[in-house]
């Protein structure tokens, strides 16, 4: 699932780069029970303006009722990488 989401984001030009990390074990509460499950983390490197479209695409493909879709602020990045992100993502 995460690999399919990653590819869909790249094809749609919503993100110029993704990184897939895992598997890892997640422990969480769901419907009053403690659950433990193997999961993957998909890091999506994209412009902040693409968040809503990225969220919609992830929800469309994700199997969880409540997927974790987080936007983390970036304090700084090198200029040439920032240009590459802008040049390779939808406006």
């Amino acid at each position: 699932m995460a690999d399919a989401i990653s590819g869909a984001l790249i094809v749609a030009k919503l993100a110029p780069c993704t990184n897939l990390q895992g598997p890892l074990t997640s422990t969480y509460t769901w419907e009053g029970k403690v659950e433990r499950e193997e999961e993957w983390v998909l890091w999506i490197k994209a412009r902040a303006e693409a968040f809503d479209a990225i969220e919609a695409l992830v929800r469309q493909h994700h199997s969880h009722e409540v997927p974790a879709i987080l936007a983390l602020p970036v304090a700084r990045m090198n200029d040439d990488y920032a240009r590459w992100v802008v040049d390779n993502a939808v406006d």
Side-chain angles (χ1 to χ4, degrees):
M1 170 184 35
D3 194 39
I5 292 170
S6 174
L9 289 165
I10 299 299
V11 168
K13 292 195 171 280
L14 293 174
C17 180
T18 63
N19 302 114
L20 190 54
Q21 183 179 7
L24 49 90
T25 302
S26 292
T27 304
Y28 57 94
T29 302
W30 184 252
E31 297 180 346
K33 292 175 31 184
V34 175
E35 301 284 345
R36 181 166 287 191
E37 181 175 70
E38 183 180 275
E39 293 186 339
W40 296 77
V41 175
L42 178 60
W43 295 94
I44 302 165
K45 299 170 185 172
R47 298 173 65 183
E49 299 83 7
F51 181 85
D52 292 339
I54 290 169
E55 179 184 11
L57 188 146
V58 170
R59 286 185 179 280
Q60 178 184 359
H61 291 87
H62 206 288
S63 63
H64 285 183
E65 186 177 327
V66 182
I69 306 169
L70 313 172
L72 305 175
V74 175
R76 292 185 65 159
M77 75 175 77
N78 55 310
D79 291 341
D80 43 343
Y81 187 80
R83 272 190 302 280
W84 179 80
V85 169
V86 169
D87 290 346
N88 289 282
V90 171
D91 288 329

